[in-house]
């Protein structure tokens, strides 16, 4: 497929993809609003059961006839790793006490939901499917292809982009070091895969022939123009949409984002066991210097879930995962349709003035 064909093939007007925002922030309402506004809405279904995934896809379809994407986590599970749960349970016991929760218990390693979730995607056939943390096997990719679903993989290095291209994806999401939430890294160390988005996009465009979608720290139309000037065919934006009323993030999370005046994000394994970027807070501080007690992914994620749920209900941002990218201080609180209009107007202005290349 020619590079210019991606947006046409997806039938989208503007080169703006809503990032899949798994774990609550991403809602069918937000996905539909972005698609309705001429962007590409997405549903982060990684934490949903197969049944919830089907329900959410159908909800988006009840809200818009426009195309959208479904995203899942594929791999990255550290199932064979040895660990000692006692120190983290002791630390969490104090947090649970503060939040009025019963003492924490070690959950069972959650089974991998990917195979069942993928069957739902194949049956429901959204316009596109994206994945992160790894690469689905050849058979799954062939079935997605045969179902007419466009496939996008996530890469954090040029090398990962090449691996995705070899696997036969239709497009590559280039996730720069600035990006909010989990790192998609799957080949190589997390530390060595922190490439700034502009450098990553330029390198990937040179090395790969699949269309590249820039992701990480992009908050304004001017920054979209810069990514397009670097060779991306579109951008995938997460943090900029977190304060939209359609976004399902807890109110305390939205307040924390809007109160941020500079980049206070850090990359942490504290909440899930896998490196992810979010606003620094009490829980991250409590684990700083004690990272060795964190359980492997996704066990740590299951272990901290009761804390995060209670913190969300009680408005305690200190114990919530406040995922955000490095552009967080520039987040705007606008309905998704208005934010899309603003981004498109800024993009056009930047392109008209030839300012796209200056970030
Ligand atoms: C709250 C939140 C949840 C996210 N969940 C997912 C997800 O489920 N799957 C995924 O591929 N990417 C996920 N991402 C990462 C985005 O795809 C994207 O790389 C990132 O949002 C780009 O950086 P930005 O937030 O600075 O725009 C998430 C990002 C955020 C902020």
């Amino acid at each position: 497929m020619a590079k210019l064909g991606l947006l046409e093939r997806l039938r989208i007007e503007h080169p703006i993809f809503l990032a899949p925002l798994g774990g609550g922030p991403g809602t069918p309402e937000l996905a539909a609003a972005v698609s309705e506004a001429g962007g590409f809405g997405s549903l982060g279904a990684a934490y949903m059961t197969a049944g919830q995934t089907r329900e959410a896809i159908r909800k988006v379809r009840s809200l818009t006839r426009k195309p959208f994407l479904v995203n899942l986590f594929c791999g990255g599970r550290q199932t064979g790793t040895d660990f000692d749960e006692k120190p983290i349970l002791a630390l969490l016991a104090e947090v649970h006490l503060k939040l009025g929760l019963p003492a924490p218990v070690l959950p069972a390693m959650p089974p991998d939901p990917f195979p069942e979730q993928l069957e739902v995607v194949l049956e429901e056939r959204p316009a596109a499917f994206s994945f992160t943390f790894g690469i689905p096997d050849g058979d799954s990719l062939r079935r997605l292809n045969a179902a007419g679903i466009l496939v996008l993989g996530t890469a954090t290095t040029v090398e990962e982009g090449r691996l995705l291209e070899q696997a036969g994806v239709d497009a590559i999401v280039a996730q720069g070091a600035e990006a909010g939430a989990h790192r998609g890294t799957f080949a190589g160390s997390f530390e060595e895969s922190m490439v700034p988005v502009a450098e990553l996009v330029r390198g990937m465009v040179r090395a790969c022939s699949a269309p590249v979608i820039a992701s990480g720290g992009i908050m304004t139309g001017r920054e979209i123009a810069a990514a397009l000037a670097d060779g991306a065919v579109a951008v995938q934006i997460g943090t900029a949409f977190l304060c939209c009323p359609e976004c399902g993030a807890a109110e305390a999370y939205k307040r924390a984002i809007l109160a941020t005046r500079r980049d206070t994000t850090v990359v942490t394994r504290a909440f899930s066991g896998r490196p992810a970027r979010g606003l620094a807070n009490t829980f991250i501080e409590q684990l700083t210097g004690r990272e060795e007690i964190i359980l492997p992914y996704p066990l740590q994620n299951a272990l901290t879930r009761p804390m995060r749920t209670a913190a969300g209900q009680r408005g305690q941002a200190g114990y919530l995962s406040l995922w955000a990218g490095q552009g967080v201080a520039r987040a705007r609180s606008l309905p998704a349709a208005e934010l899309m209009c603003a981004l498109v107007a800024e993009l056009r202005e930047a392109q008209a003035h030839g300012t796209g290349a200056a970030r």
Side-chain angles (χ1 to χ4, degrees):
M1 184 182 39
K3 281 189 186 188
L4 285 177
L6 184 73
L7 302 191
E8 285 124 50
R9 205 170 146 192
L10 287 172
R11 293 186 293 120
I12 42 179
E13 203 182 331
H14 307 301
I16 302 173
F17 290 28
L18 167 68
L21 304 171
T27 60
E29 289 77 9
L30 183 58
V34 171
S35 287
E36 276 294 297
F40 199 45
S42 73
L43 205 54
Y47 298 105
M48 295 181 193
T49 62
Q52 288 166 338
T53 305
R54 193 187 304 280
E55 214 175 291
I57 292 173
R58 292 187 178 175
K59 178 76 186 174
V60 181
R61 288 204 166 118
S62 75
L63 298 170
T64 182
R65 293 168 66 89
K66 299 267 173 80
F68 61 95
L69 169 154
V70 177
N71 168 272
L72 294 174
F73 293 166
C74 173
R77 297 162 56 86
Q78 299 171 289
T79 42
T81 321
D82 280 340
F83 60 85
D84 173 10
E85 72 274 20
K86 287 189 285 304
I88 189 74
L89 283 175
L91 184 142
L92 266 177
E94 287 177 28
V95 177
H96 276 216
L97 207 60
K98 269 198 201 119
L99 293 171
L101 289 173
V105 283
L106 181 69
M109 179 62 98
D112 186 0
F114 181 78
E116 263 188 54
Q117 293 167 321
L118 186 69
E119 290 308 313
V120 172
V121 173
L122 285 161
E123 285 163 25
E124 293 292 327
R125 298 173 59 176
F129 166 72
S130 79
F131 57 87
T132 187
F133 299 180
I135 309 183
D137 60 34
D139 186 46
S140 301
L141 290 172
R142 270 189 296 280
R143 292 175 69 207
L144 284 158
N145 200 255
I149 301 167
L150 212 108
V151 179
L152 284 67
T154 308
T156 58
T157 60
V158 171
E159 177 53 24
E160 289 178 348
R162 283 201 193 96
L163 293 171
L164 289 173
E165 185 157 74
Q166 279 162 22
V169 299
D170 295 295
I172 305 167
V173 177
Q175 188 190 43
E178 302 90 337
H182 286 103
R183 306 291 307 144
T185 303
F186 63 90
S189 80
F190 288 105
E191 293 76 14
E192 286 166 9
S193 306
M194 296 297 283
V195 187
V197 68
E199 187 184 328
L200 184 62
V201 167
R202 288 182 207 136
M204 200 114 54
V205 167
R206 271 198 302 272
C208 303
S209 55
V212 174
I213 297 152
S215 191
I218 298 168
M219 305 295 287
T220 63
R222 189 185 164 100
E223 290 158 341
I224 298 173
L228 301 183
D230 286 336
V233 296
V235 296
Q236 176 168 294
I237 301 183
T239 303
F241 285 98
L242 283 176
C243 295
C244 293
E246 297 91 340
C247 171
E251 283 309 311
Y253 181 1
K254 291 186 180 183
R255 277 198 302 274
I257 300 262
L258 289 174
T260 306
R261 294 284 166 265
R262 61 188 171 83
D263 173 21
T264 57
T265 65
V266 291
V267 176
T268 181
R269 289 175 51 242
F271 289 101
S272 70
R274 187 180 170 94
R277 185 181 291 285
L279 297 181
N281 67 359
T282 315
F283 190 62
I284 296 173
E285 275 157 32
Q286 284 181 349
L287 275 161
T288 302
R290 301 194 65 197
E291 285 82 4
E292 73 287 353
I293 74 169
I294 296 171
L295 301 188
Y297 169 83
L299 203 52
Q300 179 79 3
N301 193 58
L303 177 68
T304 65
R305 181 167 291 124
M307 171 187 81
R308 290 180 283 121
T309 305
Q313 287 160 354
R314 283 156 220 193
Q316 298 251 19
Y319 298 102
L320 271 176
S321 45
L322 304 169
W323 302 141
Q326 289 193 292
V328 61
R330 288 171 288 130
R332 299 174 250 192
S333 178
L334 286 175
E338 285 180 36
L339 180 57
M340 279 293 297
C341 272
L343 291 171
V344 169
E346 292 161 4
L347 167 62
R348 290 200 173 130
E349 193 182 327
Q351 287 178 325
H353 291 95
T355 50
R359 244 165 230 279

